[in-house]
PDB file of all heavy atoms in Angstrom:
ATOM      1  N   ARG A  95     -15.688  -2.711   0.208  1.00 98.00           N
ATOM      2  CA  ARG A  95     -15.011  -3.981   0.400  1.00 98.00           C
ATOM      3  C   ARG A  95     -14.571  -4.092   1.858  1.00 98.00           C
ATOM      4  O   ARG A  95     -14.281  -3.088   2.507  1.00 98.00           O
ATOM      5  CB  ARG A  95     -13.783  -4.112  -0.505  1.00 98.00           C
ATOM      6  CG  ARG A  95     -14.104  -4.215  -1.990  1.00 98.00           C
ATOM      7  CD  ARG A  95     -14.703  -5.568  -2.322  1.00 98.00           C
ATOM      8  NE  ARG A  95     -14.898  -5.746  -3.763  1.00 98.00           N
ATOM      9  CZ  ARG A  95     -15.989  -5.402  -4.433  1.00 98.00           C
ATOM     10  NH1 ARG A  95     -17.000  -4.836  -3.767  1.00 98.00           N
ATOM     11  NH2 ARG A  95     -16.093  -5.599  -5.723  1.00 98.00           N
ATOM     12  N   GLY A 146       6.319 -21.757   8.008  1.00 98.00           N
ATOM     13  CA  GLY A 146       7.051 -22.032   6.784  1.00 98.00           C
ATOM     14  C   GLY A 146       8.385 -21.329   6.715  1.00 98.00           C
ATOM     15  O   GLY A 146       8.919 -20.861   7.726  1.00 98.00           O
ATOM     16  N   LEU A 189      11.172 -25.618  15.260  1.00 98.00           N
ATOM     17  CA  LEU A 189      10.779 -26.152  16.566  1.00 98.00           C
ATOM     18  C   LEU A 189      11.711 -25.679  17.674  1.00 98.00           C
ATOM     19  O   LEU A 189      11.283 -25.535  18.822  1.00 98.00           O
ATOM     20  CB  LEU A 189      10.770 -27.681  16.516  1.00 98.00           C
ATOM     21  CG  LEU A 189       9.583 -28.324  15.790  1.00 98.00           C
ATOM     22  CD1 LEU A 189       9.856 -29.804  15.547  1.00 98.00           C
ATOM     23  CD2 LEU A 189       8.300 -28.140  16.579  1.00 98.00           C
ATOM     24  N   GLN A 199       2.297 -21.613  18.819  1.00 98.00           N
ATOM     25  CA  GLN A 199       1.380 -22.604  19.386  1.00 98.00           C
ATOM     26  C   GLN A 199       0.431 -22.046  20.447  1.00 98.00           C
ATOM     27  O   GLN A 199      -0.776 -22.351  20.414  1.00 98.00           O
ATOM     28  CB  GLN A 199       2.148 -23.796  19.947  1.00 98.00           C
ATOM     29  CG  GLN A 199       1.215 -24.952  20.289  1.00 98.00           C
ATOM     30  CD  GLN A 199       1.855 -25.991  21.191  1.00 98.00           C
ATOM     31  OE1 GLN A 199       2.866 -25.732  21.842  1.00 98.00           O
ATOM     32  NE2 GLN A 199       1.266 -27.180  21.243  1.00 98.00           N
ATOM     33  N   ARG A 251      12.644 -24.088  -9.754  1.00 98.00           N
ATOM     34  CA  ARG A 251      12.580 -24.026 -11.220  1.00 98.00           C
ATOM     35  C   ARG A 251      13.898 -24.556 -11.786  1.00 98.00           C
ATOM     36  O   ARG A 251      14.817 -23.807 -12.101  1.00 98.00           O
ATOM     37  CB  ARG A 251      12.329 -22.574 -11.645  1.00 98.00           C
ATOM     38  CG  ARG A 251      12.129 -22.398 -13.133  1.00 98.00           C
ATOM     39  CD  ARG A 251      12.123 -20.941 -13.551  1.00 98.00           C
ATOM     40  NE  ARG A 251      12.393 -20.845 -14.972  1.00 98.00           N
ATOM     41  CZ  ARG A 251      13.626 -20.856 -15.490  1.00 98.00           C
ATOM     42  NH1 ARG A 251      14.685 -20.950 -14.681  1.00 98.00           N
ATOM     43  NH2 ARG A 251      13.798 -20.782 -16.796  1.00 98.00           N
ATOM     44  N   LEU A 266      12.758 -31.224  -4.352  1.00 98.00           N
ATOM     45  CA  LEU A 266      13.084 -31.155  -2.923  1.00 98.00           C
ATOM     46  C   LEU A 266      13.447 -32.505  -2.317  1.00 98.00           C
ATOM     47  O   LEU A 266      12.900 -32.922  -1.282  1.00 98.00           O
ATOM     48  CB  LEU A 266      11.925 -30.519  -2.137  1.00 98.00           C
ATOM     49  CG  LEU A 266      11.786 -28.994  -2.217  1.00 98.00           C
ATOM     50  CD1 LEU A 266      12.983 -28.273  -1.618  1.00 98.00           C
ATOM     51  CD2 LEU A 266      11.456 -28.504  -3.596  1.00 98.00           C
ATOM     52  N   LEU A 299       2.284 -26.540 -13.168  1.00 98.00           N
ATOM     53  CA  LEU A 299       2.204 -25.193 -13.723  1.00 98.00           C
ATOM     54  C   LEU A 299       3.525 -24.782 -14.377  1.00 98.00           C
ATOM     55  O   LEU A 299       3.538 -24.275 -15.506  1.00 98.00           O
ATOM     56  CB  LEU A 299       1.838 -24.196 -12.623  1.00 98.00           C
ATOM     57  CG  LEU A 299       1.800 -22.726 -13.038  1.00 98.00           C
ATOM     58  CD1 LEU A 299       0.806 -22.496 -14.159  1.00 98.00           C
ATOM     59  CD2 LEU A 299       1.482 -21.850 -11.837  1.00 98.00           C
TER      60      LEU A 299
END
Side-chain angles (χ1 to χ4, degrees):
R95 292 288 186 271
L189 284 167
Q199 191 196 18
R251 185 190 160 276
L266 283 297
L299 176 59

